[in-house]
Structure formats: C-alpha cells, structure tokens
CSV table of all heavy atoms in Angstrom, one decimal:
chain,number,residue,atom,x,y,z
O,14,ILE,N,18.8,-12.4,-2.9
O,14,ILE,CA,18.3,-11.1,-2.4
O,14,ILE,C,19.0,-9.9,-3.0
O,14,ILE,O,18.4,-8.8,-3.1
O,14,ILE,CB,18.3,-11.1,-0.8
O,14,ILE,CG1,17.4,-10.0,-0.3
O,14,ILE,CG2,19.7,-11.0,-0.3
O,14,ILE,CD1,16.0,-10.3,-0.4
O,15,GLN,N,20.3,-10.0,-3.4
O,15,GLN,CA,21.0,-8.8,-3.9
O,15,GLN,C,20.4,-8.4,-5.2
O,15,GLN,O,20.6,-7.3,-5.7
O,15,GLN,CB,22.5,-9.1,-4.0
O,15,GLN,CG,22.8,-10.1,-5.1
O,15,GLN,CD,22.7,-11.6,-4.6
O,15,GLN,OE1,22.3,-11.9,-3.5
O,15,GLN,NE2,23.2,-12.5,-5.5
O,16,ALA,N,19.6,-9.2,-5.9
O,16,ALA,CA,19.0,-8.9,-7.2
O,16,ALA,C,17.9,-7.8,-7.1
O,16,ALA,O,17.5,-7.2,-8.1
O,16,ALA,CB,18.4,-10.1,-7.8
O,17,ILE,N,17.4,-7.6,-5.8
O,17,ILE,CA,16.3,-6.6,-5.7
O,17,ILE,C,16.8,-5.1,-5.9
O,17,ILE,O,16.1,-4.2,-6.1
O,17,ILE,CB,15.5,-6.7,-4.4
O,17,ILE,CG1,16.4,-6.4,-3.2
O,17,ILE,CG2,14.9,-8.0,-4.3
O,17,ILE,CD1,15.6,-6.4,-1.9
O,18,GLY,N,18.2,-4.9,-5.8
O,18,GLY,CA,18.7,-3.6,-5.9
O,18,GLY,C,18.2,-2.6,-4.9
O,18,GLY,O,18.2,-2.9,-3.7
O,19,ASP,N,17.6,-1.5,-5.4
O,19,ASP,CA,17.0,-0.5,-4.5
O,19,ASP,C,15.5,-0.8,-4.3
O,19,ASP,O,14.8,0.1,-3.8
O,19,ASP,CB,17.2,0.9,-5.1
O,19,ASP,CG,18.6,1.4,-4.7
O,19,ASP,OD1,19.2,0.9,-3.8
O,19,ASP,OD2,19.0,2.4,-5.4
O,20,ALA,N,15.0,-1.9,-4.7
O,20,ALA,CA,13.6,-2.3,-4.7
O,20,ALA,C,12.8,-1.2,-5.5
O,20,ALA,O,13.3,-0.9,-6.6
O,20,ALA,CB,13.1,-2.3,-3.2
O,21,ASN,N,11.8,-0.7,-5.0
O,21,ASN,CA,11.1,0.4,-5.7
O,21,ASN,C,11.8,1.7,-5.4
O,21,ASN,O,11.7,2.2,-4.2
O,21,ASN,CB,9.6,0.4,-5.3
O,21,ASN,CG,8.8,1.4,-6.0
O,21,ASN,OD1,9.2,2.4,-6.4
O,21,ASN,ND2,7.5,1.0,-6.3
O,22,ALA,N,12.4,2.2,-6.4
O,22,ALA,CA,13.3,3.4,-6.1
O,22,ALA,C,12.5,4.6,-5.5
O,22,ALA,O,13.0,5.4,-4.8
O,22,ALA,CB,14.0,3.8,-7.4
O,23,TYR,N,11.2,4.7,-5.9
O,23,TYR,CA,10.4,5.9,-5.4
O,23,TYR,C,10.2,5.8,-3.9
O,23,TYR,O,10.4,6.7,-3.2
O,23,TYR,CB,9.1,5.8,-6.1
O,23,TYR,CG,8.1,6.8,-5.6
O,23,TYR,CD1,8.2,8.2,-5.9
O,23,TYR,CD2,6.9,6.4,-4.9
O,23,TYR,CE1,7.3,9.1,-5.4
O,23,TYR,CE2,6.0,7.3,-4.4
O,23,TYR,CZ,6.2,8.7,-4.7
O,23,TYR,OH,5.3,9.6,-4.2
O,24,TYR,N,9.9,4.6,-3.4
O,24,TYR,CA,9.7,4.4,-2.0
O,24,TYR,C,11.0,4.4,-1.2
O,24,TYR,O,11.1,4.9,-0.1
O,24,TYR,CB,8.9,3.2,-1.7
O,24,TYR,CG,7.5,3.3,-2.2
O,24,TYR,CD1,7.0,2.3,-3.2
O,24,TYR,CD2,6.6,4.3,-1.8
O,24,TYR,CE1,5.8,2.4,-3.7
O,24,TYR,CE2,5.3,4.4,-2.4
O,24,TYR,CZ,4.9,3.4,-3.3
O,24,TYR,OH,3.7,3.5,-3.8
O,25,THR,N,12.1,3.9,-1.8
O,25,THR,CA,13.4,4.0,-1.2
O,25,THR,C,13.8,5.4,-1.0
O,25,THR,O,14.4,5.8,0.0
O,25,THR,CB,14.4,3.1,-2.0
O,25,THR,OG1,13.9,1.8,-2.2
O,25,THR,CG2,15.8,3.1,-1.3
O,26,ALA,N,13.6,6.2,-2.0
O,26,ALA,CA,14.0,7.7,-1.9
O,26,ALA,C,13.1,8.3,-0.9
O,26,ALA,O,13.6,9.2,-0.2
O,26,ALA,CB,13.7,8.3,-3.3
O,27,ALA,N,11.8,8.0,-0.8
O,27,ALA,CA,11.0,8.5,0.3
O,27,ALA,C,11.5,8.2,1.7
O,27,ALA,O,11.5,9.0,2.6
O,27,ALA,CB,9.5,8.0,0.1
O,28,VAL,N,11.9,6.9,1.8
O,28,VAL,CA,12.5,6.5,3.1
O,28,VAL,C,13.7,7.3,3.4
O,28,VAL,O,13.9,7.8,4.6
O,28,VAL,CB,12.8,5.0,3.1
O,28,VAL,CG1,13.6,4.6,4.3
O,28,VAL,CG2,11.4,4.2,3.1
O,29,LYS,N,14.6,7.5,2.4
O,29,LYS,CA,15.8,8.3,2.6
O,29,LYS,C,15.4,9.7,3.1
O,29,LYS,O,16.0,10.3,4.0
O,29,LYS,CB,16.6,8.3,1.4
O,29,LYS,CG,17.9,9.0,1.5
O,29,LYS,CD,18.8,8.9,0.2
O,29,LYS,CE,20.1,9.6,0.4
O,29,LYS,NZ,20.9,9.4,-0.8
O,30,SER,N,14.4,10.3,2.4
O,30,SER,CA,14.0,11.6,2.8
O,30,SER,C,13.4,11.7,4.2
O,30,SER,O,13.6,12.6,4.9
O,30,SER,CB,12.9,12.1,1.8
O,30,SER,OG,12.3,13.2,2.2
O,31,MET,N,12.6,10.6,4.5
O,31,MET,CA,12.0,10.6,5.9
O,31,MET,C,13.1,10.6,7.0
O,31,MET,O,12.8,11.0,8.1
O,31,MET,CB,11.1,9.3,6.0
O,31,MET,CG,9.9,9.4,5.1
O,31,MET,SD,9.0,7.8,5.0
O,31,MET,CE,8.6,7.5,6.7
O,32,LEU,N,14.2,10.0,6.7
O,32,LEU,CA,15.3,9.9,7.7
O,32,LEU,C,16.0,11.2,7.9
O,32,LEU,O,16.9,11.3,8.8
O,32,LEU,CB,16.3,8.8,7.4
O,32,LEU,CG,15.7,7.4,7.5
O,32,LEU,CD1,16.7,6.4,7.0
O,32,LEU,CD2,15.1,7.1,8.8
O,33,GLN,N,15.7,12.3,7.1
O,33,GLN,CA,16.4,13.5,7.2
O,33,GLN,C,15.9,14.4,8.3
O,33,GLN,O,16.6,15.3,8.8
O,33,GLN,CB,16.5,14.2,5.9
O,33,GLN,CG,17.3,13.4,4.9
O,33,GLN,CD,17.3,14.1,3.5
O,33,GLN,OE1,16.7,15.1,3.3
O,33,GLN,NE2,18.1,13.5,2.6
O,34,SER,N,14.6,14.3,8.7
O,34,SER,CA,14.1,15.1,9.8
O,34,SER,C,12.8,14.5,10.3
O,34,SER,O,12.2,13.6,9.6
O,34,SER,CB,13.7,16.5,9.3
O,34,SER,OG,12.6,16.5,8.5
O,35,TRP,N,12.5,14.8,11.5
O,35,TRP,CA,11.2,14.3,12.1
O,35,TRP,C,10.0,14.8,11.3
O,35,TRP,O,9.0,14.1,11.2
O,35,TRP,CB,11.1,14.7,13.6
O,35,TRP,CG,12.0,13.9,14.5
O,35,TRP,CD1,13.1,14.3,15.1
O,35,TRP,CD2,11.8,12.5,14.8
O,35,TRP,NE1,13.6,13.3,15.8
O,35,TRP,CE2,12.8,12.2,15.7
O,35,TRP,CE3,10.8,11.6,14.5
O,35,TRP,CZ2,13.0,10.9,16.2
O,35,TRP,CZ3,11.0,10.3,15.0
O,35,TRP,CH2,12.0,10.0,15.8
O,36,HIS,N,10.0,16.0,10.8
O,36,HIS,CA,8.9,16.5,10.0
O,36,HIS,C,8.7,15.6,8.8
O,36,HIS,O,7.6,15.3,8.5
O,36,HIS,CB,9.2,18.0,9.6
O,36,HIS,CG,8.1,18.6,8.9
O,36,HIS,ND1,8.1,18.6,7.5
O,36,HIS,CD2,7.0,19.3,9.3
O,36,HIS,CE1,7.0,19.2,7.1
O,36,HIS,NE2,6.3,19.6,8.1
O,37,ASN,N,9.8,15.4,8.1
O,37,ASN,CA,9.7,14.5,6.9
O,37,ASN,C,9.2,13.1,7.3
O,37,ASN,O,8.4,12.5,6.6
O,37,ASN,CB,11.1,14.4,6.2
O,37,ASN,CG,11.5,15.6,5.5
O,37,ASN,OD1,10.8,16.7,5.6
O,37,ASN,ND2,12.6,15.6,4.9
O,38,PHE,N,9.7,12.6,8.4
O,38,PHE,CA,9.3,11.3,8.9
O,38,PHE,C,7.8,11.2,9.2
O,38,PHE,O,7.1,10.3,8.7
O,38,PHE,CB,10.1,10.9,10.2
O,38,PHE,CG,9.7,9.5,10.7
O,38,PHE,CD1,10.3,8.4,10.2
O,38,PHE,CD2,8.9,9.4,11.7
O,38,PHE,CE1,10.0,7.1,10.7
O,38,PHE,CE2,8.5,8.1,12.3
O,38,PHE,CZ,9.1,7.0,11.7
O,39,PHE,N,7.3,12.2,10.0
O,39,PHE,CA,5.9,12.2,10.4
O,39,PHE,C,5.0,12.3,9.2
O,39,PHE,O,3.9,11.7,9.1
O,39,PHE,CB,5.7,13.3,11.4
O,39,PHE,CG,4.3,13.3,11.9
O,39,PHE,CD1,3.8,12.3,12.8
O,39,PHE,CD2,3.3,14.2,11.5
O,39,PHE,CE1,2.5,12.2,13.3
O,39,PHE,CE2,2.0,14.2,12.0
O,39,PHE,CZ,1.6,13.2,12.9
O,40,PHE,N,5.3,13.2,8.3
O,40,PHE,CA,4.4,13.5,7.1
O,40,PHE,C,4.8,12.6,5.9
O,40,PHE,O,4.2,12.8,4.8
O,40,PHE,CB,4.5,15.0,6.8
O,40,PHE,CG,3.8,15.8,7.8
O,40,PHE,CD1,4.5,16.6,8.7
O,40,PHE,CD2,2.4,15.8,7.9
O,40,PHE,CE1,3.9,17.4,9.6
O,40,PHE,CE2,1.8,16.6,8.9
O,40,PHE,CZ,2.6,17.4,9.7
O,41,VAL,N,5.7,11.7,6.0
O,41,VAL,CA,6.0,10.8,5.0
O,41,VAL,C,6.4,11.5,3.7
O,41,VAL,O,5.8,11.4,2.6
O,41,VAL,CB,4.9,9.7,4.7
O,41,VAL,CG1,5.5,8.6,3.8
O,41,VAL,CG2,4.4,9.1,6.0
O,42,ALA,N,7.4,12.4,3.8
O,42,ALA,CA,7.7,13.3,2.7
O,42,ALA,C,8.4,12.5,1.6
O,42,ALA,O,9.3,11.6,1.9
O,42,ALA,CB,8.7,14.4,3.2
O,43,ALA,N,8.0,12.7,0.4
O,43,ALA,CA,8.6,12.0,-0.7
O,43,ALA,C,9.9,12.6,-1.2
O,43,ALA,O,10.7,11.9,-1.9
O,43,ALA,CB,7.6,12.0,-1.9
O,44,GLU,N,10.2,13.8,-0.7
O,44,GLU,CA,11.5,14.4,-1.1
O,44,GLU,C,12.0,15.3,0.0
O,44,GLU,O,11.2,15.6,0.9
O,44,GLU,CB,11.3,15.2,-2.4
O,44,GLU,CG,10.1,16.0,-2.5
O,44,GLU,CD,10.1,17.4,-1.8
O,44,GLU,OE1,11.2,18.0,-1.8
O,44,GLU,OE2,9.1,17.8,-1.3
O,45,PRO,N,13.3,15.6,0.1
O,45,PRO,CA,13.8,16.3,1.2
O,45,PRO,C,13.2,17.7,1.6
O,45,PRO,O,13.2,18.1,2.7
O,45,PRO,CB,15.3,16.5,0.8
O,45,PRO,CG,15.6,15.4,-0.2
O,45,PRO,CD,14.3,15.2,-0.9
O,46,GLY,N,12.6,18.4,0.6
O,46,GLY,CA,12.0,19.6,0.9
O,46,GLY,C,10.6,19.5,1.5
O,46,GLY,O,10.0,20.5,2.0
O,47,SER,N,10.2,18.3,1.6
O,47,SER,CA,8.9,17.9,2.2
O,47,SER,C,7.7,18.7,1.7
O,47,SER,O,6.7,19.0,2.4
O,47,SER,CB,8.9,18.0,3.8
O,47,SER,OG,9.0,19.3,4.2
O,48,SER,N,7.7,18.9,0.4
O,48,SER,CA,6.5,19.6,-0.2
O,48,SER,C,5.6,18.6,-0.8
O,48,SER,O,4.5,19.0,-1.2
O,48,SER,CB,7.0,20.6,-1.3
O,48,SER,OG,7.7,19.9,-2.3
O,49,VAL,N,6.0,17.3,-0.9
O,49,VAL,CA,5.2,16.3,-1.5
O,49,VAL,C,5.2,15.1,-0.6
O,49,VAL,O,6.2,14.7,-0.1
O,49,VAL,CB,5.7,15.9,-2.9
O,49,VAL,CG1,4.9,14.8,-3.5
O,49,VAL,CG2,5.8,17.1,-3.8
C-alpha cells in the first residue's frame, strides 16, 4: 500500500484544501483560495 504515494496528487491537494475551511469543504475547492 505504501507504493501509492499521494495517489492522484490533484485530488489529494483538493482534499487538503477542503480541510482548510467549511467553505472550501462545501464547494469542493481545488485550491486554498477556493476560486476553482
């Protein structure tokens, strides 16, 4: 299982961004500024 690394880095970054605020979480923000 350790071979998967960060899995799909795009979606992992989106999950990290989503955990920064409820706004990002609700709108599934792809980046911390929640513009995408």
Side-chain angles (χ1 to χ4, degrees):
I14 196 70
Q15 69 275 8
I17 64 172
D19 278 341
N21 185 323
Y23 175 70
Y24 296 119
T25 304
V28 166
K29 185 175 182 180
S30 169
M31 290 168 62
L32 294 177
Q33 293 180 358
S34 74
W35 282 108
H36 182 269
N37 290 3
F38 180 82
F39 183 74
F40 290 105
V41 192
E44 43 83 34
S47 68
S48 61
V49 178

